[in-house]
Amino acid sequence: MPACSSHGLRKACARRLAEAGATTNQIASVTGHKTLALVQHYTAAAEREGLADSAFEKLLARPNGEQNLANLPDWFANIDTKSLKVKGN
């Protein structure tokens, strides 16, 4: 794979493993990283996405499901866009 560096492949592997739910130690054992700090750096975004998905699943799993969510689209629809000023205009 001439377009891929070994560094890029290693990082992609770490990210994919994180997305699949592997722990930092499991990822380090596969990728060969000696310290967990670099593995955590590579997988932080994937872990944040997973945590956000998990948080919303918990919210939607409540007894009333989506009915417990605030009605944000209506609030955003009522924002007065004329009050927004752009510097320099």
Side-chain angles (χ1 to χ4, degrees):
M1 297 171 50
C4 300
S5 67
S6 57
H7 171 77
L9 292 171
R10 187 181 192 194
K11 181 178 177 180
C13 180
R15 167 98 186 197
R16 295 276 179 121
L17 288 167
E19 289 170 350
T23 67
T24 306
N25 285 324
Q26 290 170 327
I27 295 167
S29 69
V30 171
T31 61
H33 286 95
K34 291 186 174 34
T35 65
L36 298 181
L38 197 51
V39 175
Q40 289 172 332
H41 174 73
Y42 286 154
T43 61
E47 290 172 358
R48 275 193 305 273
E49 291 172 14
L51 288 172
D53 290 342
S54 174
F56 273 108
E57 286 172 8
K58 288 179 181 182
L59 183 63
L60 295 175
R62 293 172 60 188
N64 292 334
E66 291 184 29
Q67 295 174 10
N68 288 328
L69 297 176
N71 197 355
L72 294 178
D74 289 341
W75 182 82
F76 285 120
N78 294 328
I79 291 177
D80 180 17
T81 57
K82 293 178 185 175
S83 66
L84 299 176
K85 305 268 189 219
V86 178
K87 287 185 178 182
N89 287 340

